Amino acid sequence: MKITSFGLAAIAMALMADNAEAMPAVRNYKGVSPYKARYTVNPPVPVMKDPRSMSGARRMRLESNERLEETYLDELHYIPSEGQADSSSQFWSNVQQRLESAIDRLDKASSMLGMGNAMSPYRAASAVKSAAKSLGFSFSVNTNSAHGASPDFTFNFNVSEPMSWGEEAHLSAEAREDGMLDGKALPNLPADSGFDYKNEKVRGVNLGNWLLFEGWMDSSLMQALNDHAINAPWPNPIIDEWTAGLYSDKGWASYVLQKHFDEWMTDDDWQQIKAAGLNHVRIPVPYFMFAEAVGPNAPYLTLNRFAKLKEGVMKAKKLGLKVWIDLHSVPGSQNGFDNSGRSGPINWANNPAYFTQTQYAFNRLVKEFTLDDYAGTVTAIEAVNEPKANVVPAVQDLLNKYYPWARNRVAIPEGWNKYSNMLLAIHDGFQGLQYWQNFWTGRARHRVLLDTHPYFVYSDWQHQAKDTQRLQQACQLVDSFAKSQQYYPSIAGEWNVNGPNGDRMADRDLPVGPIKFPSLPGVTYPYSVKYMAFMARNFKTQQFIYEQGGGWIQWSWRNDNNPDWSYKTGLQYGWIPMDLDQQPYGANPCSCIPGLIQAAENGTAAESWVKAELAGHL
């Protein structure tokens, strides 16, 4: 694509200018002046429902034969249909619109920049080349132009094509034997990453609501943000990171969020994680932690998230903890959940620019965490969290391109001439573990960790089931994890131990033992003994299941609104053990499930059989 000098200058301006904020038309929130609105306290923020346990959530997340309604795809003009131009021409049409807009902005801004009415094409070229490189675009100059003439510039807006699915998969037998390729040493993955995922078990916890907030976990944070909302159409408009940027007083929101980053994870929290016998943390981060990746018209607040991430990783290193860095949020939203940064439409796969922004953020993570300072600590980077590939075909199509590209990017990071020891973690896209068995072959799959999120709190059936039935459903995954482990280290990267209805006595049909919750002076338990007994058994049962695969990373270390989701609270009150090797329900907790169901159905007469059965395992 040939671009004139004037158009090139416009591109430079468009790339280097600050992103415009998508502010709403309403300017008199609360019916008063913006100043007064800023200091008028909102009504109390209602407790946000846990999006993972709302009715119908399982249907939306897990059932692969469903399709989203059109309301989930409000950028359909990016998707070619029969009779339309292909995606490339659609994309270039969008580029043309961006250029026209940029030219108009340049015309208005040129005098302010002190450049007169034009910009030197060579200065523009330098500016564009620098900006393009930072965003992952390619840029070239035709040096054969006649002397004195404006050079021909070619600027490629298109996203990078994926490399081959795995250069390591196509090695000759000789190269495999001596571990070299063109003189480059091949890593012995996955052990060289810093953790042997094939032979050791991951036992970890997520640091949810830290560098990417989730309102249902922390109402005090949401109240603090909403108390200073401005330019909003109704009270308490802030429900996710998008609306926090859209409706916040920027100074106040920056203060509140940076204070939150400092206080949600303290040195004591890190020490407690280590003392609990855990070996991993998974840290969710948003793509907009990099200002260059935010893109136009997105109101996200970048702040000091990247600095806090690096600080956290170094604390993990000091304690000997391994780290997964999880790209939890990508532009356009990959799943429509609030934890993607923006709840609502799923547009990640609908705009090629979103993919480019994602690649940029992923590249920045790879570039930083393959530095020697982090070697052996950051073992994997997760390409994207919970993409809804099961219900949006375009998302799966994008994963087919993105995952191989990301695998090759961690294999040989940009600018490297040798292989790294970094691994790629991929989420199963709610397609199930077996879907991915042959996605990679040969040595190429040795660099990949497979992440799945088995929650048992979504469906109407689960809300109506008894505790014994929930355990039985979980135990059906034993063979799935064991089989998947033969292909990739397969890890439950998110899961929980709570019941879908909370502490509802109608759900309880298990014997209380063998873990006891004694009555202690000064100790007030947050839940009934029967509920805590269920969570204790649920924890050990799911631990057993996931360790038939590569292990587990529980969600989440801390949850101020819902303590039964909190690993930290579970340790405090005893439904999560400090000693992860103890076996109070036997070496195979699933083997007891049929007897537990029989006991529940037959009443106390069968309960003695269960106690005897448990005693035989102790």
Side-chain angles (χ1 to χ4, degrees), residues 5 121-122 143-151:
S5 299
Y122 290 96
T143 56
N144 295 323
S145 300
H147 181 71
S150 296

Side-chain angles (χ1 to χ4, degrees), residues 474-518:
C475 287
Q476 292 172 1
L477 294 179
V478 168
D479 291 341
S480 179
F481 272 89
K483 183 177 181 181
S484 186
Q485 185 70 8
Q486 298 172 18
Y487 293 83
Y488 311 94
S490 301
I491 294 113
E494 289 187 22
W495 59 287
N496 67 299
V497 301
N498 64 299
N501 305 306
D503 194 358
R504 189 174 76 173
M505 287 305 296
D507 294 351
R508 314 280 87 84
D509 65 344
L510 289 165
V512 172
I515 292 178
K516 304 295 183 183
F517 296 91

